[in-house]
Amino acid sequence: MVAKQAAIRTFGLTKAYGDILALFNLDLEVSRGEVFGFLGPNGSGKTTTIRLLLDFIRPTSGRAEILGLDTRKHAFDLRRRVGNLPGDFMIYPQLTVDAFFKLCSGGRPGGMERARTLAERFGLDPGRKVGTLSSGNRQKAGLVQSLMHDPELVILDEPTSGLDPLVKEEFYGLVDEEKGRGKTIFLSSHVLPEIERICDRVGIVREGRLIAVEKVDSLKRHKRRRMAVTFAMPVPGAALNWGADGAVEVLASGNDHLELSIPEGSVDGVVKILAGLPVADLVFPEATLEEAFMSLYEGPAPQDPGPQVESRGDAS
Amino acid sequence: MKIAIMAVHLRLGMYGSLAWAGGLIIYAAAIVWIYPTVSEVEGMGDYLEAMPEQFRELAGVTDLTQALDEKGFFTFEGFLSTEYMSWFPVLLGIYAITSGAGIVARDAERGALDILLAQPLHRYGLLLTRAVTQIAVLGMLTAVSLVALLVGAALLAEPIGKVDLLYTHAIAFGLIVALYSVAVFWSAVFLRTSRALAVAGLGTVLAYVINVLAPSLGPLGWLEKLSPFAYYESLPLLNTGDVDPFSIIVYSGITLVALAAATRVFEHRDLVS
């Protein structure tokens, strides 16, 4: 049942370049209609994964399916159904934007009409030569190209790179619309607020290994959160008993202030303790994906040769 | 999609092709224009005889006796052979190798391959569409050369066998396409234009040198047959129009094998330059 619904499935997907392991044993499933963010710093394996999915490079072992079809055996058919924005792409600078869209429209009906609509929406001049475009406008042309055929799945590598904030918002709106139309979007990024804004789930990859796949909210909840408390009058340290298990860490303390690191599930206890104290101010910001991301990147790199998936959220 | 690829290929290479066409016309016109003057100079036979054999080979004179007789060097055909048709495949070969070396490598380097192959197009479709389009361009340039020489000969009222000239161009075209196809193969192997150009260019120069030097190497004379240049002799072709079918087989064979190997390599390799 789940297999039929998956937009992307990989089975032990591995890519090595000589002794360098670019991607190791990736088992990943992205459901249809989902916006999935693939997170990781440069060189972590994001682009390798995308290039494997698009059959630009071939796996050392393992395999992948897109829309239920093997990516190697059905690469040609899949290109009709999948849109792609490569990272840092370039096309012939002599072509106009419109000619570039025409080049990409072959074999798929209705593409040019949608391309012109999207170009207008992004404020892209179709008469300009690609070589004269700024990096942001070139990225817009790439985005239009990836969406112009109304693909069932769109794979985007760093899609908002070079875009100004207004166009980014336009792009986010477009992603929401596409999701509303049942399309699946798989995007790689290291812009965490963006992932937080548009993605349903994220996969985090580190040194070629998938270390977490979760819903964005769920991932944030796993993060320890900081709380800053200011007291109305001096409070002796002895009055503060956070329990013997050491779950709550005191990051900084004084007679009139306190900074705590609180794990998931301990908030209630902390609030009850503070209720008996003269609290003048309390700052407890929402956990960010960045904090969750950074916490997953703390500590040594995974060395276990087996699959590194620590947790998996519900795809629904 | 393939038509769009062809159109873009032609559009991007348009100025280069036009420049080569113009260059060939100028070169052909210059050779035709100076023939009446050169043909009247006395002592050219002594000059030709005094040249080292390798130099004569380089100028397309493979048989001195034939070159000096009445159907040889001092006829219009002989002069055209020595000064134009022996160099024509070398000149156009340079263009062919340069364009062949970049056929897919240039796109890989600039990042355009990821966009092109995200479209519904087989890898072999992209490579062969480009190759066939460029072979058509090389064919058009060969036709430009043929027409330029025919027009020049007509203006000078020099009689020349039109069919013989056509056959000479056709065999030269076969050689040029063979050189191009080998460059395409190296482009698919390396996905780096500079590396493909270096290997294809070096191989072509080596083949040319072998063709020139091998006949004077005594027992190693058979090495000449390893060079594709050995199957193109402009003077006998221009004089008689007798096409050696083996030339056609060799050039067709090199082209087909090189393009088949190029598509196979390109189809199975990682697209990483």
Side-chain angles (χ1 to χ4, degrees):
Chain A
M1 183 70 180
V2 174
K4 280 181 187 173
Q5 289 176 344
I8 297 173
R9 284 189 88 191
T10 66
F11 306 86
L13 202 59
T14 300
K15 181 64 183 177
Y17 296 99
D19 295 336
I20 299 167
L21 210 50
L23 190 69
F24 183 77
N25 209 17
L26 178 73
D27 290 309
L28 181 68
E29 186 171 314
V30 178
S31 301
R32 292 199 193 207
E34 186 177 21
V35 180
F36 189 90
F38 206 44
L39 272 172
N42 293 332
S44 58
K46 301 189 302 292
T47 300
T48 298
T49 303
I50 286 176
R51 293 180 70 78
L52 283 165
L53 290 175
L54 294 167
D55 194 40
F56 291 160
I57 55 176
R58 270 64 193 263
T60 307
S61 63
R63 64 185 187 88
E65 285 178 3
I66 286 182
L67 304 171
L69 298 172
D70 186 276
T71 53
R72 289 212 56 195
K73 290 178 188 160
H74 301 278
F76 181 80
D77 297 327
L78 284 173
R79 282 172 195 153
R80 290 186 184 278
R81 301 168 64 187
V82 178
N84 167 44
L85 172 69
D88 202 21
F89 85 99
M90 188 55 196
I91 198 76
Y92 314 112
Q94 301 95 321
L95 292 186
T96 62
V97 170
D98 209 49
F100 167 54
F101 294 151
K102 275 183 190 153
L103 174 66
C104 301
S105 69
R108 292 176 287 191
M112 279 310 289
E113 195 179 328
R114 185 164 154 84
R116 285 173 182 144
T117 307
L118 288 171
E120 193 176 334
R121 182 168 175 177
F122 280 125
L124 195 59
D125 179 0
R128 284 280 296 275
K129 287 198 171 175
V130 173
T132 67
L133 297 177
S134 65
S135 60
N137 279 333
R138 200 171 66 228
Q139 191 74 353
K140 290 180 197 173
L143 277 171
V144 171
Q145 169 276 143
S146 69
L147 294 162
M148 64 188 278
H149 308 293
D150 203 14
E152 294 166 57
L153 167 69
V154 192
I155 296 177
L156 308 167
D157 194 359
E158 310 279 355
T160 57
S161 167
L163 297 183
D164 62 55
L166 288 175
V167 180
K168 274 185 189 173
E169 275 306 316
E170 192 66 50
F171 167 71
Y172 299 152
L174 191 60
V175 168
D176 290 341
E177 284 172 29
E178 293 298 304
K179 187 189 167 194
R181 296 171 62 223
K183 311 291 183 182
T184 309
I185 295 172
F186 181 93
L187 62 96
S188 83
S189 179
H190 46 223
V191 183
L192 298 169
E194 171 177 296
I195 294 283
E196 214 170 342
R197 158 76 175 78
I198 58 177
C199 292
D200 301 315
R201 284 197 307 152
V202 292
I204 295 180
V205 63
R206 178 180 181 180
E207 296 184 18
R209 290 165 164 87
L210 188 67
I211 55 173
V213 179
E214 284 194 59
K215 284 183 175 178
V216 174
D217 290 342
S218 163
L219 193 63
K220 286 195 298 189
R221 277 201 300 272
H222 287 180
K223 174 71 184 88
R224 296 178 72 93
R225 296 173 64 187
R226 284 175 183 241
M227 179 184 285
V229 185
T230 305
F231 298 115
M233 60 184 68
V235 174
L240 305 170
N241 181 8
W242 304 112
D245 61 357
V248 175
E249 287 179 40
V250 179
L251 300 173
S253 66
N255 280 339
D256 60 352
H257 72 275
L258 188 64
E259 193 174 336
L260 304 171
S261 172
I262 306 167
E264 183 192 10
S266 299
V267 177
D268 183 57
V270 170
V271 170
K272 281 176 180 160
I273 292 169
L274 292 174
L277 298 170
V279 174
D281 191 19
L282 188 147
V283 180
F284 192 39
E286 187 184 353
T288 64
L289 185 60
E290 189 159 356
E291 287 170 322
F293 179 78
M294 292 309 293
S295 71
L296 285 166
Y297 265 79
E298 286 164 0
Q303 294 297 326
D304 180 356
Q308 296 295 312
V309 182
E310 290 178 349
S311 56
R312 284 179 183 273
D314 185 358
S316 61
Chain B
M1 185 70 205
K2 285 174 186 160
I3 290 171
I5 297 277
M6 276 183 176
V8 167
H9 183 91
L10 289 173
R11 187 170 165 182
L12 297 179
M14 186 173 65
Y15 292 116
S17 306
L18 287 175
W20 273 93
L24 285 174
I25 289 169
I26 291 168
Y27 180 34
I31 294 301
V32 170
W33 182 55
I34 63 168
Y35 171 67
T37 317
V38 173
S39 65
E40 288 166 11
V41 173
E42 290 183 7
M44 283 298 284
D46 296 337
Y47 169 68
L48 196 61
E49 208 166 2
M51 283 172 80
E53 188 183 343
Q54 287 82 2
F55 274 72
R56 284 199 301 269
E57 288 268 356
L58 206 63
V61 179
T62 51
D63 185 336
L64 183 62
T65 312
Q66 188 193 33
L68 293 176
D69 74 14
E70 61 179 9
K71 290 287 280 179
F73 181 72
F74 302 104
T75 61
F76 184 54
E77 288 89 344
F79 186 73
L80 271 189
S81 167
T82 310
E83 301 298 333
Y84 186 90
M85 285 311 299
S86 57
W87 296 109
F88 171 72
V90 177
L91 285 175
L92 206 51
I94 292 170
Y95 176 52
I97 290 167
T98 310
S99 53
I103 186 171
V104 284
R106 204 162 284 133
D107 281 337
E109 287 165 339
R110 59 158 61 116
L113 216 49
D114 287 5
I115 286 282
L116 292 173
L117 289 175
Q119 315 307 326
L121 182 69
H122 290 288
R123 289 187 187 189
Y124 69 81
L126 175 68
L127 187 139
L128 289 179
T129 302
R130 286 267 181 79
V132 167
T133 310
Q134 188 59 23
I135 287 171
V137 170
L138 293 170
M140 281 188 276
L141 290 173
T142 305
V144 164
S145 165
L146 176 65
V147 171
L149 288 179
L150 287 174
V151 169
L155 290 175
L156 284 181
E158 286 288 348
I160 188 165
K162 293 182 179 64
V163 175
D164 300 344
L165 192 60
L166 172 68
Y167 286 168
T168 311
H169 272 85
I171 297 300
F173 174 65
L175 171 56
I176 291 161
V177 171
L179 297 176
Y180 172 74
S181 303
V182 172
V184 167
F185 169 72
W186 290 119
S187 186
V189 168
F190 293 119
L191 281 191
R192 288 224 180 143
T193 308
S194 58
R195 205 172 287 178
L197 189 57
V199 174
L202 194 66
T204 303
V205 169
L206 201 63
Y208 191 76
V209 169
I210 286 173
N211 178 53
V212 171
L213 295 181
S216 58
L217 293 179
L220 292 177
W222 58 269
L223 282 173
E224 182 190 12
K225 297 295 174 196
L226 295 179
S227 168
F229 289 95
Y231 303 93
Y232 170 74
E233 287 190 32
S234 56
L235 189 58
L237 269 170
L238 278 171
N239 278 334
T240 64
D242 290 340
V243 174
D244 180 1
F246 195 62
S247 305
I248 299 171
I249 293 169
V250 168
Y251 294 148
S252 305
I254 292 173
T255 300
L256 291 175
V257 169
L259 289 182
T263 49
R264 182 163 178 77
V265 168
F266 190 53
E267 194 69 26
H268 289 91
R269 65 159 300 153
D270 283 350
L271 298 181
V272 180
S273 63

